[in-house]
Amino acid sequence: MTVTAAPETLAQDALSTLMREGSRAEHTSAESSTFMSELLEGRSSVEAYTVFLRQLASVYDALETVGRDLAGDAVAAAVVDEALMRADAIDADLRVLAGDSWRDLPVGPAATAYAERIAATRDDAVLYLAHHYTRYLGDLSGGQAIGRILQREYGLVEGGVSFYDFPEIPKPKLFKDGYRANLDALPFDSATKQRVVDEVKVAFALNEALFAEMSA
Ligand code: HEM
């Protein structure tokens, strides 16, 4: 007899667990991308990081515009939180790194496609969760070390790395526990959970495409 996982098994698994487990391979791949490796090993440059942050500005603009639009939606409200918003920090960093007219720096096809994908979730809050999770939980995890490494490797001591600083979240671990509990309290069936996991994979792929463009 062939034993297959019953759909109920998936429905019982916590959404946050499915999201983490379902994107484990994608995470490993993103971590070991050429762009990330070179950046974190001090083999890149402030200029390259500036170009990258300009791309992220577009991504977070979409993430936070849609987040505020969806703040009254019961699903999105599980994760949307002003304490996470990065647009002001990105603006402050880019003013240091590129000057007040940083918005004139070009945005490439990868960030454009990523921002468009996020914008499309305005009509589908379930998928928005995936994009929110992939960026903000990453920023509160590996991102915390990345900020310190950038400071050390590129001498960014006079500003430029506030992106990694969440002044309203003094204890990221506690915050992430609460975040996962909120996700897990959503009354989703297994098919809906699977949609979220699939979109997390898409979000990781969009990040990888951005990294690939940055190292091209
Ligand atoms: C070199 C780059 C990276 C490093 C060193 C890194 C490191 C880490 C570490 C150590 C954790 C686990 C933290 C914990 O247990 O609470 C983590 C979690 C996470 N990372 Fe990364 N990461 C990197 C890149 C990325 C990228 C590019 C993304 C996506 C854009 C990402 C998204 C995530 C997410 C969503 C989590 C939360 C997993 C969960 O607990 O559900 N990471 N990262």
Side-chain angles (χ1 to χ4, degrees):
M1 191 179 83
T2 313
V3 180
T4 50
E8 309 83 69
T9 315
L10 188 61
Q12 281 160 13
D13 280 333
L15 177 59
S16 69
T17 307
L18 293 169
M19 291 165 89
R20 184 174 57 234
E21 298 304 322
S23 60
R24 199 177 281 282
E26 285 78 3
H27 187 273
T28 305
S29 169
E31 254 183 298
S32 49
S33 66
T34 304
F35 177 70
M36 269 293 149
S37 309
E38 290 186 352
L39 186 67
L40 299 182
E41 288 164 15
R43 291 186 285 123
S44 186
S45 64
V46 174
E47 290 71 26
Y49 178 67
T50 303
V51 172
F52 174 56
L53 192 60
R54 172 66 186 99
Q55 311 308 299
L56 284 188
S58 292
V59 171
Y60 281 83
D61 181 40
L63 211 43
E64 295 176 1
T65 303
V66 176
R68 289 194 175 103
D69 286 354
L70 288 178
D73 176 281
V75 168
V79 296
V80 172
D81 188 331
E82 287 293 324
L84 289 167
M85 303 287 178
R86 298 290 80 202
D88 289 349
I90 293 173
D91 177 52
D93 288 352
L94 281 170
R95 281 175 195 275
V96 171
L97 298 169
D100 290 353
S101 51
W102 62 262
R103 283 189 178 80
D104 295 344
L105 294 174
V107 178
T112 303
Y114 191 173
E116 281 171 359
R117 182 81 183 196
I118 294 168
T121 69
R122 183 179 270 106
D123 302 320
D124 197 340
V126 166
L127 297 188
Y128 178 74
L129 294 176
H131 290 281
H132 194 277
Y133 162 86
T134 304
R135 282 305 327 179
Y136 294 115
L137 237 57
D139 296 336
L140 288 172
S141 304
Q144 296 303 289
I146 293 173
R148 288 191 293 274
I149 294 169
L150 291 178
Q151 251 173 328
R152 188 184 68 215
E153 294 294 338
Y154 303 102
L156 293 171
V157 286
E158 312 247 337
V161 289
S162 57
F163 176 72
Y164 304 95
D165 194 17
F166 289 83
E168 292 170 61
I169 305 181
K171 293 190 175 5
K173 160 103 181 53
L174 268 184
F175 185 94
K176 286 190 287 181
D177 288 347
Y179 185 101
R180 291 190 191 99
N182 288 348
L183 284 176
D184 296 343
L186 288 164
F188 286 173
D189 61 16
S190 61
T192 306
K193 289 179 185 175
Q194 190 57 48
R195 288 186 74 223
V196 180
V197 174
D198 289 345
E199 190 70 9
V200 170
K201 291 176 197 253
V202 169
F204 268 97
L206 290 163
N207 278 278
E208 282 232 59
L210 177 57
F211 298 158
E213 190 178 281
M214 292 298 98
S215 28

